[in-house]
Amino acid sequence: MSRAFALISTALLVACGDPVHTDAVDALGPEAHGVEPGPLHRPGQPCLVCHGGKGPGNLEFSVAGTVYKYADSNEPLANAIVKLVDQSGPSTIVGTNCVGNFFVQRTDFDPVFPLWTRIQLGSLDIEMSTPVFGKGSCAHCHQDSPTESSVGRIYVAPPGAELPGGSCP
Ligand code: HEC
Ligand code: HEC
């Protein structure tokens, strides 16, 4: 994309509405090379910035995130079950895909926060000991590396534990 076009399209977006939202979307950068927008894109990013109802993602999610095997590596945890429980009823269950992403459409589950979460794979069963209040993007708090504003990625296994492989076809 030429710089002139980028500037014009940014100006158009800003003109259309919410500059804070536009900045938040822009801050996440372009798509990774070779990855189409879809279920496998942008692992580790706060999905609801773009899929929270204001676009540019068309699908609106209520809860979404990415699960990894270990605290200190980017290896995704595929085929895990994410259980979400709020006060409105039985748990909602969603699987992680080959990049560790999972997502729930708001039309399927519109949680009443707080929300309790746990991740299961075989005999592994890891829960977040405190519930989530109000934030549907797990990456809002779980960024890849721990910092003052982040607890680090969501992971299930201690370092050195062997977990089944799994990679995208
Ligand atoms: C920076 C903005 C942005 C972020 C962050 C983002 N997406 Fe998207 N997503 C898009 C856009 C744009 C599209 C293409 C338009 C569409 O199909 O909704 C898309 C498409 C999708 C689709 C296909 C929807 C369909 O209709 O088939 C899925 C599924 C999806 N994203 C999942 C995710 C998940 C899961 C995350 C977080 C790990 C995420 N996205 C993060 C912008 C984003
Ligand atoms: C408001 C901040 C926040 C949000 C949003 C959040 N978490 Fe957490 N999460 C934490 C904190 C803090 C801990 C560490 C203490 C604990 O377990 O409660 C944690 C720990 C966890 C753990 C335990 C082990 C680990 O991987 O660190 C899991 C599993 C987990 N979170 C899953 C999730 C899932 C799934 C979501 C999205 C649905 C989510 N979290 C959203 C703050 C958050």
Side-chain angles (χ1 to χ4, degrees), residues 24-31 36-51 55-59 61 64-66 97 99 101-103 137:
V25 171
D26 287 352
L28 295 175
E31 297 295 328
E36 295 292 319
L40 306 183
H41 80 153
R42 299 181 177 273
Q45 292 200 352
C47 316
L48 269 67
V49 168
C50 303
H51 292 280
N58 294 320
L59 282 187
F61 304 152
T66 310
N97 64 25
V99 298
N101 281 352
F102 70 92
F103 49 93
S137 273

Side-chain angles (χ1 to χ4, degrees), residues 55-122:
N58 294 320
L59 282 187
E60 183 177 348
F61 304 152
S62 55
V63 185
T66 310
V67 183
Y68 296 92
K69 289 181 178 174
Y70 313 107
D72 56 356
S73 92
N74 264 339
E75 286 178 74
L77 187 75
N79 304 317
I81 289 171
V82 181
K83 270 194 180 166
L84 306 165
V85 184
D86 72 352
Q87 51 189 293
S88 72
S91 49
T92 293
I93 292 175
V94 57
T96 61
N97 64 25
C98 66
V99 298
N101 281 352
F102 70 92
F103 49 93
V104 180
Q105 284 184 249
R106 192 175 294 285
T107 47
D108 291 331
F109 176 52
D110 196 2
V112 180
F113 288 91
L115 184 68
W116 282 265
T117 68
R118 64 194 317 140
I119 315 283
Q120 296 175 319
L121 179 69

